[in-house]
Amino acid sequence: MIRLTDAALLAYTKLRARKVRLIVTVVISSLLFGVLALGSFVFRGVVSSTSSFAEEGFGKRYILSAESSSIGRYSEDKTVLERAIALQKDEIARKKIEAKRIGIDYDPTTERLVYQDGGGQSGNERYLDQTHPLALQAINEYLIAHPEPGLPELKKLSAPYGGKNFYESRYIAGFDIGSSKLKVLKDGKESFEENNQQNFNPFSQGLDSFTSSWSLLSGDLLKTFTLDGTVPEISKDGVLPIVAPYSAVEQLLKLKPLPASASASSRLERLKDVRARAGSVEFNVCSRNASSTDLINQALSSKRELEQNKSNKNYEKPSLIYDTPTEPCGAARIIRDVRTNDEKVMSAKWDTFRQLFGQEVPAQTILRFRVVGVAPDPPGFNAAFLDGLIGSILTSYIGVNWYTPLEARKANPALQNLFPDQQINGRANSFYAELPTADSAKKMLDGASCDLNSFSGMPGPVPEGLPPVVDINGQVDDCVKSGKPFYLMPYGSSSLAINDLQKGFSKVFKIAALVVMAIAAIILMGTLGRIIADARRETAVFRAIGAKRLDIAQVYVTYALVISLMIGLCAILTGFGLSQIAQSKWGAQFTVKALVAYNARDLTREFHLYAWSSRDLLYIMLAAIVAGLVSTILPLLRNLRRNPIRDMRDEN
Amino acid sequence: MSKPTDPLISKNYLRLFEGDLDAAIDSLRVAAASQAKRPKQVNSDKPVLVSINHVFKNYKLGRQKVEAVKGVTLDIRQGEFIALTGPSGSGKSTLLQMIGGLDKPSSGQVVVDGQNISKLSDRKLSVFRNKTVGFVFQFFYLQPFLGVKTNLEVPAMFARTKRRARGERAVELAEAVGLSDRIKHLPKELSGGQMQRAAIARALLNKPKLLLADEPTGNLDSTNGRAIIDLFEQVRRDFGTTIVVVTHDDAIAARADRIVSLKDGALVT
């Protein structure tokens, strides 16, 4: 073997051969490895920044949410439907008797049935109308007989994994509150324009998201998002504490949302402003029960009718006309009542009759809220790609985004009414177990969750071409039997997901490195092979003046190593350069998003889209070296086996 | 020096001809004739450095068997200046390559400085070429991207000579061949004669006992050609190096101590 410096000196002479081709090859290979390096820089940067920000959020807490796996099973149980039908039959019978007794003309055929047709896999089956009060009664009876798992079951389940703290949340959803309505009084005023359009919309943002997103959550979990100096408790004057989404607080502070093109510094200024003033924000929400909402709807309908018949001389106004209230969240007003005494008596009889059979007295109440915290907005349905991406990476969410401490429910009947013990229709109460480590959380997630292996399909016959519907109920039964009554999911932060992502990334990174290495080796083989083949005469001369085959091999291996190191270094510099460009383009945007997402107290924190991982960079260097060596081996062996005399003669 | 093998009693001799008795007998006749024409030895007081005994070199050209060297026997004493001459295809370059350990004889043996190089391993042959022999080629074969001094040092790199020692030796040799003012130049900045002088200096770097030159003046004009031969004489005089030069040029051959001519692979003088 010759000295390393001599091998390097002789290898250096090769670098000057076929310069253009060599430069193009090095550039292409460097770009290939550069993409790999960029991936590493950005990924590691995101992970390290996320971990750093997460120190202020849920990042270092390992919480699993648990929802009953048998949720909604009553809708599959025919006995519930039968019970509801029986209840309705019984009620109709009682109504007939009562109507006869009080002397009103009751027609049972006008009753809304507890079921509808067109359900099931065949599309012809009856299914429960879960908005019907009697259907709800049947369901409640079912749930009392078949209680869903709760905190005690979760505590038991998490004991082997070291579960230490437990929490609970209650959601509000459109169905759950029947036809009662909640409406934020924007600027203190009640708007009736969209009264009939209030739907459950998980993608609504700002104040409009209140109705679909308001929930109760254990106060301890809420602390992460509360503002400094605020107390998340009901005040003496009955004002409810609430953590509100960022966009809603902006609205309440009468700040116009910043345009998408707004700079990061103006976003940061806005964030500071919102944080500073959010604690002083109060707002009211009008809560109407179904009867109250019905009267408002009646008033709106009358208004439309009167408007339409303004110039109709033959139009006869109804004897009783309601109008919307003049004060916010007031009762519907009677503005015309020319009913005869008989009509009034009959109307009173009907009111008594309806109330006897469950109809509530119209009622409305104002709920007062005080903002005690700011939570990140979930990425909107129409969010731009980057926003969506940032949102999904910077997840420190707690499900929805309006939260009142669960503890406030005890002292507030309105909350007890809005968030009943038994939840129906899909959005059950959720429970949370906090585990001591990421590992224990992962183990519990893997070992104690009821995992279903397929989607149950839509109601109705299975369309052609789709896989057959899997017996989900059977799987749920198996889960319950095997002591896994909950669906478990990581909650509150992406820490577990990031752990998994890191492992996944390492695998993908290694595979990508192998692929890039193979491609680079093929490219390099073309050029290095040519250069080595070109050097046959030189090899022959070296052999003639005393070089051993190993010496020649050493020169070319050194040459390949130099090329590989150049490629590796160029790749790392390229990756680093590109990550710096990404940082300058999106870094500030990520920083602001992260500050909001993690409710960071320290607003000087920065989100970096790059971080060094010496292991990744070592892989890149190794991959480049292996590619260089592999591409050299074949041409070198061919070269060494050649007859030096012939090579000297051939080249002359 | 090891005793040459008598081809008549060599057990392996017939095997070389793959059982072809007529070919073996023809070969023996040529060998005998060659033995008879063995040239007169000069400098007979000096020890033999190169001993070539009944050397044959055959190779196949397509389906045809070509006998490049036929039973050559030749001794070269230390410090001799030999000119190998003969028409193209007479086998002189092949003989030179066998002496230099670049090629191996099909039969017979080549002993240089006491080493039967026909039997050396590839590794030992490399060491032999590096230490005992210096090669000078018609086309110089200098490294185009290395300066003259570094070019001169290349054989010493393969010998793992210390940088300082080889550097001093290179400077010394560059001076000896008249290139001290060109030491930092690249080969492309030299004339043909200068390049060949650099190549000779390179060949001498490891102080070889034997300098082998294949048409060293073939690519030079007559003035430079003469200068190179002067240099060979100077080298022999200063370093006592044995020199074997393959040449077509009678003027150069005339400067040698002895002319060895080949025709159709056999010695003719």
Side-chain angles (χ1 to χ4, degrees):
Chain A
M1 296 271 280
I2 59 174
R3 287 197 169 79
L4 205 60
T5 48
D6 293 336
L9 181 70
L10 295 175
Y12 157 77
T13 65
K14 309 274 110 239
L15 289 175
R16 301 185 59 171
R18 291 190 180 263
K19 257 195 234 170
V20 174
R21 187 169 174 171
L22 189 62
I23 289 169
V24 171
T25 305
V26 168
V27 167
I28 293 172
S29 305
S30 300
L31 284 177
L32 277 172
F33 283 107
V35 171
L36 208 61
L38 173 67
S40 162
F41 280 122
V42 172
F43 180 79
R44 301 296 176 191
V46 168
V47 167
S48 119
S49 297
T50 308
S51 305
S52 154
F53 271 94
E55 284 167 10
E56 298 209 51
F58 281 133
K60 299 291 176 196
R61 295 174 72 174
Y62 305 100
I63 302 169
L64 297 182
S65 75
E67 282 193 8
S68 166
S69 58
S70 52
I71 188 170
R73 285 297 300 276
Y74 50 79
S75 62
E76 310 276 337
D77 197 321
K78 294 286 176 210
T79 60
V80 179
L81 180 64
E82 284 161 13
R83 173 65 181 151
I85 292 170
L87 283 170
Q88 189 162 43
K89 222 181 239 178
D90 176 59
E91 190 183 76
I92 288 170
R94 284 189 290 115
K95 276 183 173 176
K96 278 182 187 169
I97 295 166
E98 183 63 16
K100 199 173 175 184
R101 191 183 69 78
I102 61 175
I104 56 170
D105 191 12
Y106 167 65
D107 178 5
T109 59
T110 60
E111 284 285 352
R112 183 161 68 99
L113 295 175
V114 291
Y115 60 84
Q116 291 182 353
D117 291 316
Q121 286 184 28
S122 64
N124 299 319
E125 291 173 28
R126 278 180 182 174
Y127 66 93
L128 207 58
D129 176 357
Q130 293 179 20
T131 61
H132 196 290
L134 291 175
L136 293 177
Q137 187 184 333
I139 291 169
N140 270 325
E141 287 175 10
Y142 177 91
L143 290 174
I144 288 165
H146 305 86
E148 291 195 340
L151 268 185
E153 286 78 9
L154 183 62
K155 284 180 182 175
K156 196 175 155 193
L157 191 67
S158 69
Y161 306 96
K164 51 177 188 174
N165 296 315
F166 300 91
Y167 313 102
E168 189 179 348
S169 72
R170 290 174 184 234
Y171 297 107
I172 194 162
F175 286 153
D176 297 340
I177 53 173
S179 55
S180 61
K181 301 288 182 215
L182 284 173
K183 185 167 280 186
V184 177
L185 301 177
K186 294 177 188 171
D187 299 328
K189 293 172 193 161
E190 186 176 14
S191 161
F192 300 105
E193 282 163 20
E194 344 62 86
N195 211 47
N196 293 318
Q197 296 162 8
Q198 186 181 356
N199 294 315
F200 176 78
N201 178 7
F203 301 111
S204 57
Q205 295 226 337
L207 291 175
D208 293 335
S209 67
F210 178 85
T211 309
S212 56
S213 301
W214 184 31
S215 62
L216 304 184
L217 183 68
S218 297
D220 184 59
L221 287 183
L222 270 186
K223 278 179 195 163
T224 306
F225 290 93
T226 52
L227 296 158
D228 291 337
T230 58
V231 184
E233 289 171 3
I234 300 181
S235 65
K236 283 175 189 168
D237 52 354
V239 180
L240 295 165
I242 195 159
V243 171
Y246 185 78
S247 58
V249 179
E250 272 185 320
Q251 251 180 297
L252 289 167
L253 288 168
K254 300 194 185 344
L255 296 168
K256 280 187 182 170
L258 291 172
S261 57
S263 68
S265 59
S266 56
R267 285 179 193 279
L268 188 59
E269 283 310 308
R270 170 60 64 88
L271 173 63
K272 286 177 185 170
D273 185 28
V274 168
R275 285 269 180 81
R277 296 199 284 143
S280 63
V281 170
E282 287 195 7
F283 65 97
N284 296 333
V285 171
C286 178
S287 169
R288 292 181 182 279
N289 69 6
S291 301
S292 170
T293 307
D294 284 347
L295 286 182
I296 293 293
N297 286 338
Q298 208 175 313
L300 291 169
S301 166
S302 299
K303 262 188 182 175
R304 278 195 298 274
E305 190 179 314
L306 291 173
E307 188 60 32
Q308 281 164 3
N309 294 289
K310 221 179 197 176
S311 49
N312 181 1
K313 288 176 184 171
N314 300 324
Y315 175 69
E316 206 174 298
K317 287 183 178 175
S319 52
L320 178 67
I321 299 177
Y322 282 97
D323 196 4
T324 50
T326 50
E327 74 281 13
C329 207
R333 294 174 298 133
I334 295 173
I335 54 169
R336 174 185 160 92
D337 187 358
V338 290
R339 292 175 296 175
T340 60
N341 275 342
D342 285 351
E343 281 174 332
K344 284 180 181 169
V345 169
M346 190 55 72
S347 177
K349 282 181 178 176
W350 270 107
D351 286 345
T352 313
F353 179 78
R354 287 190 192 111
Q355 280 159 20
L356 185 68
F357 290 98
Q359 192 180 58
E360 294 168 306
V361 177
Q364 51 282 317
T365 179
I366 289 180
L367 301 170
R368 294 164 63 201
F369 291 93
R370 192 182 71 256
V371 174
V372 293
V374 182
D377 282 300
F381 185 62
N382 294 318
F385 169 74
L386 186 65
D387 267 4
L389 183 72
I390 297 173
S392 56
I393 293 170
L394 303 177
T395 308
S396 188
Y397 72 105
I398 27 183
V400 284
N401 50 1
W402 292 86
Y403 326 97
T404 292
L406 181 66
E407 293 75 9
R409 181 176 174 273
K410 280 183 193 165
N412 191 304
L415 290 185
Q416 288 165 15
N417 196 30
L418 287 166
F419 297 92
D421 285 326
Q422 290 292 354
Q423 292 280 331
I424 302 167
N425 255 316
R427 307 198 71 184
N429 297 336
S430 288
F431 306 97
Y432 307 92
E434 185 164 5
L435 284 302
T437 61
D439 200 39
S440 56
K442 184 87 178 65
K443 277 183 185 160
M444 182 168 171
L445 197 61
D446 293 341
S449 180
C450 170
D451 291 320
L452 305 182
N453 61 19
S454 182
F455 179 59
S456 63
M458 299 295 287
V462 179
E464 221 172 294
L466 288 181
V469 172
V470 175
D471 179 17
I472 295 293
N473 291 332
Q475 291 185 42
V476 170
D477 289 342
D478 290 345
C479 278
V480 174
K481 277 178 203 161
S482 61
K484 295 177 178 175
F486 295 106
Y487 298 126
L488 298 176
M489 279 170 51
Y491 174 82
S493 83
S494 42
S495 55
L496 277 183
I498 285 174
N499 279 354
D500 279 353
L501 209 60
Q502 272 181 297
K503 282 179 195 165
F505 178 79
S506 295
K507 271 187 200 167
V508 171
F509 186 77
K510 280 176 196 166
I511 292 168
L514 283 176
V515 171
V516 169
M517 191 175 77
I519 297 170
I522 291 167
I523 295 170
L524 281 170
M525 204 180 284
T527 298
L528 298 192
R530 187 70 255 161
I531 288 170
I532 292 173
D534 283 352
R536 284 198 306 243
R537 189 187 64 191
E538 186 188 70
T539 304
V541 173
F542 280 169
R543 296 279 287 144
I545 61 179
K548 295 182 261 304
R549 287 183 204 276
L550 200 61
D551 297 334
I552 305 283
Q554 196 187 346
V555 171
Y556 285 108
V557 166
T558 308
Y559 168 64
L561 279 175
V562 170
I563 302 272
S564 305
L565 289 174
M566 276 165 60
I567 290 171
L569 283 175
C570 288
I572 289 168
L573 288 177
T574 306
F576 185 71
L578 290 176
S579 69
Q580 291 301 304
I581 293 170
Q583 174 70 25
S584 65
K585 202 164 166 51
W586 297 302
Q589 225 172 322
F590 267 83
T591 298
V592 176
K593 286 267 180 190
L595 289 171
V596 177
Y598 292 99
N599 194 37
R601 261 67 171 176
D602 176 8
L603 293 180
T604 60
R605 272 181 194 273
E606 278 188 39
F607 197 96
H608 294 290
L609 285 173
Y610 63 89
W612 293 91
S613 160
S614 45
R615 204 168 61 171
D616 288 355
L617 300 185
L618 190 70
Y619 274 127
I620 290 171
M621 289 306 281
L622 280 177
I625 287 170
V626 171
L629 292 180
V630 165
S631 65
T632 315
I633 286 171
L634 279 179
L636 179 61
L637 287 178
R638 265 204 304 269
N639 201 332
L640 289 178
R641 281 181 191 152
R642 291 184 67 86
N643 181 341
I645 299 166
R646 190 182 298 163
D647 282 340
M648 277 194 279
R649 195 183 296 142
D650 284 352
E651 296 286 334
N652 293 340
Chain B
M1 195 170 75
S2 62
K3 192 181 171 187
T5 309
D6 186 341
L8 291 172
I9 58 168
S10 168
K11 288 178 185 173
N12 294 323
Y13 194 71
L14 268 175
R15 282 186 203 157
L16 288 169
F17 295 90
E18 296 168 338
D20 185 342
L21 194 59
D22 290 340
I25 291 167
D26 282 349
S27 164
L28 285 172
R29 279 182 187 143
V30 172
S34 174
Q35 185 90 5
K37 289 174 185 170
R38 193 166 191 161
K40 198 167 57 180
Q41 300 296 316
V42 292
N43 294 330
S44 54
D45 55 322
K46 295 274 175 90
V48 173
L49 182 71
V50 179
S51 178
I52 303 163
N53 280 295
H54 312 300
V55 163
F56 288 80
K57 179 66 185 177
N58 310 319
Y59 56 87
K60 281 186 176 174
L61 199 65
R63 287 185 175 182
Q64 205 182 350
K65 192 168 89 177
V66 177
E67 290 183 317
V69 175
K70 296 173 188 167
V72 170
T73 296
L74 175 69
D75 285 345
I76 301 169
R77 292 187 177 273
Q78 269 182 21
E80 254 195 303
F81 180 176
I82 301 279
L84 271 179
T85 63
S88 289
S90 60
K92 53 190 188 301
S93 288
T94 306
L95 187 62
L96 188 83
Q97 283 151 4
M98 286 192 285
I99 296 169
L102 274 174
D103 209 350
K104 286 190 175 184
S106 304
S107 71
Q109 62 180 18
V110 178
V111 177
V112 180
D113 197 26
Q115 296 179 84
N116 183 353
I117 59 169
S118 324
K119 291 185 176 173
L120 291 182
S121 66
D122 186 69
R123 188 185 167 80
K124 284 183 176 166
L125 263 181
S126 296
V127 175
F128 164 78
R129 287 194 295 265
N130 187 243
K131 297 268 170 74
T132 312
V133 182
F135 273 100
V136 177
F137 308 98
Q138 182 180 355
F139 295 98
F140 330 128
Y141 298 142
L142 296 170
Q143 280 292 313
F145 302 115
L146 296 179
V148 168
K149 180 171 174 272
T150 318
N151 255 299
L152 263 54
E153 290 180 36
V154 171
M157 291 179 190
F158 297 125
R160 288 184 68 91
T161 309
K162 283 186 178 166
R163 186 182 282 266
R164 190 172 178 173
R166 78 192 191 206
E168 285 170 0
R169 172 84 176 144
V171 171
E172 193 181 291
L173 281 170
E175 202 173 331
V177 299
L179 287 177
S180 48
D181 58 335
R182 288 280 187 272
I183 207 151
K184 287 181 179 169
H185 288 231
L186 290 173
K188 67 180 178 189
E189 294 161 348
L190 304 180
S191 68
Q194 286 172 327
M195 278 199 265
Q196 193 58 300
R197 275 187 275 155
I200 291 168
R202 178 182 67 182
L204 293 171
L205 198 102
N206 285 339
K207 299 179 183 170
K209 289 183 176 169
L210 182 62
L211 187 67
L212 302 174
D214 193 355
E215 302 278 7
T217 59
N219 214 24
L220 303 174
D221 57 35
S222 57
T223 313
N224 274 312
R226 271 197 304 278
I228 291 301
I229 298 306
D230 290 344
L231 186 57
F232 280 145
E233 284 190 338
Q234 181 197 327
V235 165
R236 182 171 64 145
R237 191 175 58 244
D238 295 349
F239 305 118
T241 312
T242 307
I243 299 171
V244 180
V245 179
V246 166
T247 182
H248 281 106
D249 190 333
D250 291 342
I252 291 168
R255 305 269 297 270
D257 295 338
R258 193 155 50 113
I259 298 172
V260 177
S261 290
L262 284 103
K263 189 179 179 189
D264 297 333
L267 290 178
V268 291
T269 52

